[in-house]
Amino acid sequence: MTSPTPLSDQIRTACATALAEISPDSPVGKTVAAVVTRLDEPTLRVAIGGRLNAGKSTLVNALIGQRLAATDATECTKLVTWFRNHHRAVVRIDPREGPPYELPLAPGGTVPADLGRPAGRIESVTVAVPNARLARYTLVDTPGLDALSGLDEMSMAALRACDALVFVMPHPGSREREALETLRATASTVGLSVANAVGVLSRVDQLGDGRSDPWPTARRVAERYAAQLRMSVVDVLPVVGLLAQTACGDDFTEADAAAIRTIASATLPGERRGMLLSADLFVADTDSPVGAVARQRLVALLGLHGIREALSLVDTGVIGAHALLTELAERSGLGALRAVIEERFVPAVDVLRAASALAALDLIAWSDGPSQQRQAAAALRATLAELQTHPAVRLVAVGMALADLNLAEAPFDETTQRDALDLVRGRTDAERVGLPLDAAGLAFEIAAAADERIRRWRALDVPHLRAVRGCVRLVREAFESIYYSASHRSTW
């Protein structure tokens, strides 16, 4: 299911042809030019979205491996902030009015608290630094949304301009259902789906009674969220954001590691439970062999859960800052999120970007205007119609159609739901029809499995709500494409 010419290149060529006939200053011309600019960008755009105070900026810092994003309540946390790779470290401010301007990073390499004007007069902020991870994907930190106002238009525009979404949710509580519904609504509104969205259950260290291991509870909650959001995100992953930020950054020093060793050598595991009941108790402990300033720093870097983990690691013989950070990174849960981004989203960048571009162009391809512009739009529509039938693009459309559905109104049983999820989550045709990844070379098995699913979904093609009928058709056509592709290979 690949194209000899990347989909992005085909769309770029069609846009260039259209721009030759459309005024670049017209709304249509500006939209087409923006699509071309996006297609020219070499990296995947990953948006970090979610509720207020959910831990988005902390997660951004963890993914980048640098403490760049502001995590305190500064003007920057109210703005859409782009993090890009560049040979020179600089902060670019794009105001609502007037030309853009640049600022240096603040001492310590963070975004400056003073951006030169109030947040209400700024459109967006771009932080560019030399960073190997940002050479793989651009991260976009969006302001938090609340239950009353939701995301503002700037945030929604930023999400629409991205290729994938990491939606950060706080730990469960009275607003759990609200957070889940917000994710569904946000992903659907901006054209993201199970094909390119993943949920993160943040701050899992706050689950439980604060004394025992929070991970068993965190995994259960994440599994419950994943089941409820199975048609909206590829998975829901638990992450200890603060621990991940410190473990993947460069703030934790050998002096901090020495402080952990000193505490470990002076206390028994049983004695630590009382000491680590709260941050205030830990810092105020007058019997501690480590000074209050050093203990306050450990709380800020690791949190109480991270301190417990670090002490248990020292007990097993792990010493030194590098060794501790390596183990703490593994225990933070960030590795699973990075794997989704690196192994699922980054390899699919051409398809994800093409699908987003097609959606943006579809909105203006039927616009009115001068005769020359209408003719160019008609030619563009013809190209779009052809590309939208591409199997890979169709799979993205299936994911968005599933995200739009209310499953209570759909005729999908457990088997057909599994069919649909395999289809949009699979990375090969074998996985898309429920076969193991190593069955990729067995074309006849793939064809047989696809045919079985075609029959099953053909039986669902009965009068229902329009959204259901459209989704059923897209799924069936996707399986038909896999069937004919596999049948062709099996005849060679």
Side-chain angles (χ1 to χ4, degrees):
M1 298 179 68
T2 58
S3 172
T5 303
L7 289 165
S8 296
D9 287 348
Q10 297 180 57
I11 298 172
R12 188 185 293 106
T13 299
C15 287
T17 301
L19 284 173
E21 306 294 335
I22 298 174
S23 169
D25 296 326
S26 68
V28 173
K30 290 179 179 178
T31 298
V32 175
V35 168
V36 172
T37 299
R38 180 174 180 179
L39 293 173
D40 286 339
E41 191 172 315
T43 57
L44 180 83
R45 294 178 178 180
V46 181
I48 312 296
R51 294 278 300 277
L52 284 167
N53 301 317
K56 298 185 300 300
S57 297
T58 299
L59 189 64
V60 167
N61 290 333
L63 288 168
I64 295 173
Q66 290 180 252
R67 193 185 289 265
L68 289 174
T71 55
D72 298 326
T74 65
E75 290 290 274
C76 199
T77 60
K78 304 174 185 177
L79 297 167
V80 173
T81 306
W82 296 68
F83 295 89
R84 300 181 182 275
N85 180 57
H86 194 264
H87 69 277
R88 175 171 56 91
V90 65
V91 178
R92 173 189 165 112
I93 311 298
D94 286 287
R96 292 175 181 260
E97 296 180 359
Y101 57 94
E102 294 184 349
L103 297 172
L105 289 174
T110 59
V111 178
D114 184 0
L115 299 177
R117 63 184 67 190
R121 295 172 57 193
I122 296 175
E123 188 78 19
S124 66
V125 177
T126 300
V127 181
V129 293
N131 185 287
R133 293 199 180 279
L134 292 177
R136 295 276 290 163
Y137 45 81
T138 294
L139 288 179
V140 185
D141 190 7
T142 61
L145 62 145
D146 59 46
L148 298 178
S149 63
L151 285 170
D152 61 28
E153 182 50 40
M154 286 192 301
S155 298
M156 295 300 289
L159 292 178
R160 282 192 290 269
C162 288
D163 308 304
L165 169 67
V166 175
F167 195 93
V168 186
M169 296 174 284
H171 59 78
S174 60
R175 305 177 76 178
E176 174 182 345
R177 181 181 297 276
E178 190 177 278
L180 297 179
E181 291 302 325
T182 299
L183 188 153
R184 290 191 187 97
T186 301
S188 176
T189 301
V190 300
L192 298 168
S193 71
V194 65
N196 54 354
V198 61
V200 168
L201 180 64
S202 65
R203 299 177 177 169
V204 300
D205 52 311
Q206 297 178 11
L207 294 174
D209 58 10
R211 305 177 188 180
S212 56
D213 182 5
W215 276 99
T217 301
R219 294 188 183 98
R220 287 195 301 271
V221 173
E223 288 173 2
R224 186 174 80 243
Y225 274 28
Q228 295 179 16
L229 294 167
R230 61 191 178 281
M231 295 300 181
S232 300
V233 297
V234 66
D235 205 352
V236 175
L237 305 170
V239 175
V240 184
L242 178 61
L243 188 60
Q245 175 182 255
T246 297
C248 299
D250 53 11
D251 293 325
F252 191 87
T253 66
E254 289 296 342
D256 299 315
I260 290 289
R261 290 197 303 274
T262 300
I263 295 172
S265 64
T267 58
L268 296 173
E271 298 172 332
R272 298 170 194 164
R273 294 192 184 98
M275 178 180 64
L276 291 170
L277 283 176
S278 73
D280 289 341
L281 285 174
F282 179 70
V283 174
D285 183 6
T286 56
D287 294 329
S288 176
V290 172
V293 173
R295 280 177 278 135
Q296 182 68 62
R297 175 177 166 81
L298 290 177
V299 170
L301 288 174
L302 300 174
L304 293 178
H305 172 71
I307 293 171
R308 291 190 196 95
E309 292 291 294
L311 290 171
S312 69
L313 287 168
V314 170
D315 288 341
T316 63
V318 178
I319 59 173
H322 177 74
L324 276 173
L325 292 179
T326 299
E327 292 292 334
L328 290 174
E330 180 68 24
R331 298 186 181 199
S332 73
L334 188 69
L337 176 59
R338 277 188 171 154
V340 169
I341 296 173
E342 292 280 358
E343 298 171 15
R344 298 189 68 94
F345 296 162
V346 171
V349 60
D350 178 57
V351 174
L352 296 178
R353 183 169 296 156
S356 299
L358 289 172
L361 293 171
D362 189 57
L363 294 175
I364 55 92
W366 297 90
S367 60
D368 293 327
S371 174
Q372 190 175 12
Q373 178 174 303
R374 292 199 304 272
Q375 292 175 4
L380 183 60
R381 286 199 303 273
T383 301
L384 297 182
E386 180 180 352
L387 291 176
Q388 283 167 343
T389 64
H390 189 283
V393 175
R394 185 182 283 123
L395 288 176
V396 176
V398 169
M400 289 189 285
L402 290 170
D404 284 337
L405 282 184
N406 179 350
L407 291 180
E409 299 174 342
F412 302 156
D413 58 17
E414 185 175 341
T415 300
T416 48
Q417 286 188 39
R418 173 50 54 191
D419 287 346
L421 290 175
D422 286 342
L423 182 64
V424 294
R425 291 179 176 176
R427 288 164 289 182
T428 66
D429 281 355
E431 287 187 320
R432 292 174 188 125
V433 294
L435 297 176
L437 183 64
D438 57 10
L442 303 178
F444 68 92
E445 289 189 13
I446 294 173
D451 185 61
E452 177 185 353
R453 283 155 179 75
I454 293 168
R455 292 174 183 274
R456 190 152 53 230
W457 282 78
R458 175 71 68 180
L460 290 176
D461 201 1
V462 294
H464 282 91
L465 297 175
R466 178 179 298 179
V468 176
R469 294 201 308 272
C471 182
V472 169
R473 176 182 57 79
L474 285 170
V475 171
R476 190 185 68 246
E477 290 175 350
F479 283 131
E480 287 172 349
S481 177
I482 293 172
Y483 171 81
Y484 287 116
S485 175
S487 296
H488 177 72
R489 293 200 307 273
S490 67
T491 60
W492 283 71

